[in-house]
Each structure stands twice: as C-alpha cells, then as structure tokens.
Amino acid sequence: MPPSNAVRSVPDRRQRRLLIVLAMGFVAFGAAAAALFYVLQPETLRIAVGPSGSEDHHVVEAMAEAFEEESRTVRILPITTAGAAESLALMGAGKADLAVGRGDLAMPADAQTLAVLRKNYVVLWSPSGRQGKDIKKKAGAKIAEIADLSGRKVGIIGRTGANVALLRTILEGSGVQPDKVSTAQFGTEEIEKLAQDTTLDAYLAVGPLDSKITAAAIAATSRSRGAPKFIPVETPEAISLRHPRYEAEEIPGSVFNANPAWPEDKVDTISVNHLILGRKQLSEAKAAAFYRQLFAVRDTITQRVAGAAHITKPETEKEAEPSVHRGAAAVINGTERTFLDKYGDYFWFALLLLSGIGSAAAWLRRYLNRDERDDNTSNRNRILELVSGIGEARSEEDLRTSQREVDAIIAETLKCYDDGAIEQEDMAAFGLVLDLFDHAAAERRAALQSGSSSSLPFSKSPRGGVG
C-alpha cells in the first residue's frame, strides 16, 4: 500500500477515538447529573420538642407540615419528648439536630440559637383581698414589692424546675433570701385549684404576654381573692447583667385586661426566651437553609397555630447566651457566603492541580516515549537517505526494494502513532518526507521506462521539497 494511503487511514482511527470520548463524556454527564440530583434532595433535620400536646409541640408540627409543602431544600422531622429539658438532652447526645427549649435551662455546651420561638415574661402579682363576711383580710397582708415576699408563700404556675430557679434569681437580685420564701407548684390545668388556695400570698407565671394560661390565672385569682396587685421586679437590668440569659423588660399597662386595667401602668420585669437551638457542629449551610425557610413559611404556620406569630430572629448585635449560630447570623447580617465564595478557592486549586498533573503527565509521556520519537527521527532520516540514493536505482526491482523498506517504516510509524508515542506534528513532518520519496520514485521510474540510465539530480520537488 502506498505511504500516502497509510497516512490517510489515521483519521478513521481518530474518529473512533472521538466517538469513545463522546460516549465517556455522556457517561460523565449522567454521573454528574445523578450526583447533583442527590445533592439537591431536601435535607431532613430532626427536631426534639415536648411534651406532646403542648403549644411548642403544635407549633413544630405545623412547621413540619409547612416545610413539607413549600420547602425544596430542608425538611424537619419532629421527635416528641417529655419536655424541654429532655429535648435538649437528646440534642446533646447527638440524637437530634435541633431542639426547642427555654434559654435558662441546662443545655449542651455547644448549643446555639437559630430562632426565638417566643419571649416569656415573668408576671408576679398578689391578691388585694375581699371585704366581706366570708374572707377576712389579714393585717399587713398586702404585698407591694419583692421585699414583701419574705416569709410568704408563692404559687408558681407550671411544674418545671426552671420557674422555681427563676423566682430564686429574682429574689436574690432584690436582696431577699430565697430560703425565706416558700413555693408551691401547680400544673397549667390546675388554675382553679391555685385560685382557691388561700395559703398563697402571691403568684408567678412565665409566658408570652398574650398567654391564655397567664390571663386565666389572673382572672381566676381576682374572682376568688380580689383584684391583682402586680409586683415589679425592681432590678431587672442588674439581674440581666449577672444572668445574660435573662433580659430586662416591661409589661405594658392593660395588657391582661382593659376594664379594669390590669396592670394599671407598665411594670418592670425580666424575660427569658424560648428558643429553637442547634448544635455548633450543624453546618452553616444547613442552619442558614433552616432559618430562611422558617421565616418564609412563618405566616403559613401562624394560620394554623397562633403561637407561631411570636417567632422572631435572634439578636446578633449584642452578646447573648446561648450565642447565635453562624449560619443564622450570616442570613440575618447579610453576610452569607455563596457557593462560589465558600468553595471557589478549592475550585481554583483543583484547576491548578489538574493543570500541573496534566503537564507532568505530558512530560512523563514524552520522556517514556523518547525512544519511539528517536526511532521516528531515524526513520525520517532513513527515508531521506533513500531519496538521495534513489537516483542510482538501475531497475524496477531496486525501486520496489526501496518501496518495501519505506512501507515497513510507514507501518512502524503508524503503530507508534496509534500508541500515542508520536504526536500529530511528527506525523505531519513524516508525511512531507513520504511525499518527497513518492515524487523521487515516480521521477526515477519514468526515467527507467524512457530508457535513460543516468542518475537523477537532487532537484526541487513540485511541493517545494527536495527531489
């Protein structure tokens, strides 16, 4: 086969290679698409909340339904517990990603705030007593300030130990020894029992200002023991400074009743937040996605559970306990990093690394193929030698001998090219040498056929080569 035809067979092999590369490209694209589909699947976060049937539980259940309906990035799976303390313990053990709990409860050291579920206000009041035959008013029974609670008994609504600890904090902050104040706890379903207990000198409730439980307790005690006298916390700022989980607040006038006004004027107190918490190890992306989705569906949740209207963003401008999770803080402060911001440096490093690996691989391939390239150069030089001596050919048999040697060189060169040992540029140079040989052989054959036996000069070829 002529050398030029052998060189032209190379594109067929290259076409097959191109088809293989395209097929591999489609496979890689399919794998990337499958990986992207997997990555974009909604993330499920487990949230511990309790007890069952509480307002917190209802809010979280409504939240889970709203996330399921509207979120494409995150879902939440409620885990019901016996109470807030148990929820926090579950999160601390790594069995939940999020938890709902009050800010002054014992919690894992790495717990951080994602959102404020509601703000709980401390409401303290005492009965004014009734004038009449059935109930005698004891002398000096009126309680106007915290100091008057010394030696008295306070009824606390809610059986959580956190409310008792909160009362002790208030007493200590007001200069009253907590041991001189006795307490009795009542469940939220025991409001009437609390109102009828005449051994109680004052009452304490902890909840949002629109709490139905607090309002019902104030109304029940007023019916049985007279109008409420609201007791201010006299040092709320000092308490909040010593105990960062509490905040100084005011109870607005008439918030519990308009006529008569309960209270008549604003009352100083402290508050404690009810929080949605996550562990510090929760990734920034997951925390940010949860925070964005929560406030995107808050109105939807509020339509189902009124208590969801209290959900607010945490404060990031001041020191607070527990601290705000960096993912939520980034969304609040507008400093959330995009995908490229977070991973752009890794992409550039990967590109540089791949480029370096490619250059190293190319150099290594050239180094390993140096013998084949040397052979290719030797073969080109050998063909040039045949071109130079072809004018001495005395017969057709001499020409066929040279042609057979050139054919063998072509076969060896094409094999090296197919193996990747010879570059495209080397093949182009090899093709020029073959054209030079073909032209010289054709001229010598014509001379032999015309009967001339003289040696041909080493003349210019029609393509500009040496002939």
Side-chain angles (χ1 to χ4, degrees):
M1 182 177 65
S4 58
N5 292 336
V7 175
R8 292 190 191 99
S9 67
V10 174
D12 295 335
R13 297 188 184 94
R14 293 183 63 82
Q15 188 175 17
R16 287 195 295 271
R17 286 182 179 179
L18 179 60
L19 291 175
I20 293 174
V21 170
L22 287 174
M24 293 178 64
F26 281 120
V27 172
F29 177 79
L36 184 63
F37 177 79
Y38 176 78
V39 169
L40 293 180
Q41 287 296 299
E43 184 74 31
T44 299
L45 299 176
R46 301 162 299 171
I47 180 169
V49 61
S52 178
S54 64
E55 184 170 349
D56 290 347
H57 193 257
H58 291 319
V59 170
V60 170
E61 284 188 328
M63 189 186 304
E65 293 174 1
F67 276 37
E68 179 72 25
E69 295 167 1
E70 302 187 30
S71 176
R72 298 179 182 177
T73 57
V74 65
R75 301 279 196 272
I76 58 173
L77 176 65
I79 300 176
T80 304
T81 64
E86 291 76 9
S87 297
L88 293 171
L90 201 64
M91 185 183 74
K95 297 180 180 179
D97 304 298
L98 312 174
V100 175
R102 218 168 82 175
D104 57 347
L105 290 174
M107 59 182 62
D110 61 349
Q112 293 186 322
T113 303
L114 290 172
V116 177
L117 194 61
R118 65 175 180 273
K119 186 181 290 291
N120 294 319
Y121 291 76
V122 175
V123 183
L124 270 167
W125 76 97
S126 63
S128 60
R130 289 182 180 276
Q131 297 290 348
K133 297 179 181 179
D134 297 332
I135 301 177
K136 295 183 179 180
K137 183 179 178 182
K138 293 187 291 183
K142 286 188 176 180
I143 300 173
E145 56 186 27
I146 299 293
D148 296 334
L149 292 176
S150 182
R152 304 300 180 92
K153 186 177 182 181
V154 177
I156 300 174
I157 301 173
R159 295 195 175 277
T160 173
N163 284 350
V164 177
L166 178 53
L167 176 60
R168 292 179 66 89
T169 299
I170 294 173
L171 294 172
E172 289 174 349
S174 302
V176 178
Q177 294 184 17
D179 293 340
K180 291 187 176 181
V181 178
S182 60
T183 60
Q185 291 184 267
F186 296 82
T188 54
E189 73 285 355
E190 298 178 308
I191 299 300
E192 287 301 325
K193 181 179 178 181
L194 172 136
Q196 298 301 324
D197 190 337
T198 57
T199 65
L200 301 177
D201 300 296
Y203 312 95
L204 179 142
V206 183
L209 291 179
D210 61 352
S211 169
K212 294 180 180 179
I213 296 173
T214 302
I218 295 173
T221 57
S222 69
R223 288 193 300 269
S224 62
R225 302 188 61 188
K229 171 65 178 179
F230 292 91
I231 306 169
V233 176
E234 298 167 359
T235 57
E237 290 82 6
I239 293 174
S240 64
L241 285 174
R242 287 193 294 269
H243 305 277
R245 296 188 179 186
Y246 301 122
E247 297 179 10
E249 298 287 351
E250 289 182 348
I251 300 174
S254 304
V255 70
F256 299 118
N257 195 63
N259 187 21
W262 294 343
E264 295 181 356
D265 199 358
K266 63 183 181 181
V267 178
D268 291 330
T269 189
I270 59 173
S271 68
V272 58
N273 288 328
H274 220 73
L275 305 169
I276 300 177
L277 299 145
R279 299 182 68 186
K280 187 177 181 179
Q281 289 86 343
L282 184 68
S283 72
E284 182 176 340
K286 292 180 182 179
F290 172 82
Y291 179 89
R292 282 196 306 271
Q293 188 59 33
L294 173 60
F295 284 89
V297 301
R298 183 177 60 176
D299 291 343
T300 302
I301 304 171
T302 303
Q303 292 173 5
R304 301 172 184 178
V305 182
H310 298 297
I311 297 175
T312 57
K313 66 180 183 181
E315 292 286 343
T316 60
E317 298 177 355
K318 63 180 182 179
E319 294 292 332
E321 282 191 40
S323 60
V324 180
H325 194 285
R326 63 190 183 281
V331 179
I332 296 169
N333 298 329
T335 58
E336 185 180 10
R337 296 182 297 168
T338 64
F339 183 82
L340 288 179
D341 290 335
K342 289 185 284 189
Y343 302 109
D345 291 342
Y346 295 104
F347 282 128
W348 285 115
F349 176 76
L351 289 175
L352 291 174
L353 182 62
L354 289 175
S355 176
I357 292 174
S359 299
W363 176 86
L364 181 62
R365 187 180 68 172
R366 291 184 65 85
Y367 177 77
L368 295 176
N369 294 331
R370 64 189 183 279
D371 293 337
E372 286 81 356
R373 290 199 308 276
D374 292 342
D375 291 343
N376 180 59
T377 301
S378 299
N379 288 335
R380 287 204 313 267
N381 293 335
R382 174 57 184 158
I383 294 174
L384 287 174
E385 291 176 2
L386 292 173
V387 171
S388 299
I390 204 167
E392 303 296 331
R394 298 301 177 182
S395 65
E396 184 70 26
E397 182 61 29
D398 292 340
L399 290 176
R400 282 196 292 270
T401 300
S402 298
Q403 185 67 62
R404 283 194 292 271
E405 185 177 352
V406 170
D407 288 345
I409 292 174
I410 290 173
E412 181 182 352
T413 302
L414 289 177
K415 184 177 182 302
C416 291
Y417 177 75
D418 288 339
D419 293 340
I422 299 176
E423 303 293 339
Q424 181 68 37
E425 295 79 3
D426 298 326
M427 286 300 295
F430 187 75
L432 291 174
V433 174
L434 287 179
D435 286 343
L436 185 62
F437 176 82
D438 288 343
H439 179 68
E443 285 188 349
R444 184 57 183 165
R445 185 172 288 109
L448 290 174
Q449 291 175 354
S450 66
S452 173
S453 61
S454 61
S455 299
L456 291 175
F458 204 46
S459 59
K460 297 284 185 179
S461 71
R463 300 189 183 186
V466 180

